[in-house]
Amino acid sequence: QVRLVESGGGLVQPGGSLRLSCTASGSIFSIEGFGWYRQAPGNQREFVAFITGRGNTKIADSLKGRFTVSSDNAKNTTYLQMDNLKPEDTAVYYCNAEGKVAIDERFHRWGQGTQVTVSS
C-alpha cells in the first residue's frame, strides 16, 4: 500500500514564503512523477506543478516565477517552494504520485492535503 504524507502548510503573510513537502512510502517499485494541485473553497481542484523521476518540471502558467517544484528521489520526496505568496493562493494543497508497485502493476495515489492560508 502506497502512502503519501504532506507537511509544511500554515499561515503566512502576503509576500512571504512556504515550502511544502510530500513523502511517499510503502511497497514502491518505482515513482515516475509527483504532482501538486490545490483547491480553494467553492472551486475545483486545479493543477499547480509536476516533476518526473528524471527531473523534468512543469508549473502552471499563472504561477511561474513564484512557485518551484523539486524532488529528492533517494527520499521519495517532492517539495513545492512558494514565494511571494498572495491571498488568492489560499487553498488546500494536495500532492499525488504515479509509479509502479511491481513491474506490471501501476499506482496513482493522492495525499490528504495541507492547508495554506495567506493573510495579513
Side-chain angles (χ1 to χ4, degrees), residues 6-7 13 19 23 30 33 35 41 45 58 66 76 81 90-91 95-96 101:
E6 299 160 330
S7 64
Q13 294 182 338
R19 188 172 80 153
T23 298
S30 65
R45 190 171 298 185
K58 182 179 180 180
R66 297 195 298 119
N76 287 332
Q81 178 68 42
T90 296
C95 69
N96 70 7
V101 296

Side-chain angles (χ1 to χ4, degrees), residues 28 36 49 67 69 104 106 120:
I28 299 172
W36 286 98
F67 286 23
V69 64
D104 197 29
R106 300 188 59 80
S120 299

Side-chain angles (χ1 to χ4, degrees), residues 30-73:
S30 65
I31 294 177
E32 297 171 3
F34 286 103
W36 286 98
Y37 296 76
R38 68 185 185 183
Q39 188 168 16
N43 293 90
Q44 297 293 317
R45 190 171 298 185
E46 64 176 336
F47 171 77
V48 172
F50 187 83
I51 184 167
T52 73
R54 294 185 179 272
N56 297 317
T57 62
K58 182 179 180 180
I59 304 292
D61 288 343
S62 63
L63 302 177
K64 290 178 179 177
R66 297 195 298 119
F67 286 23
T68 305
V69 64
S70 62
S71 64
D72 184 337
N73 291 337

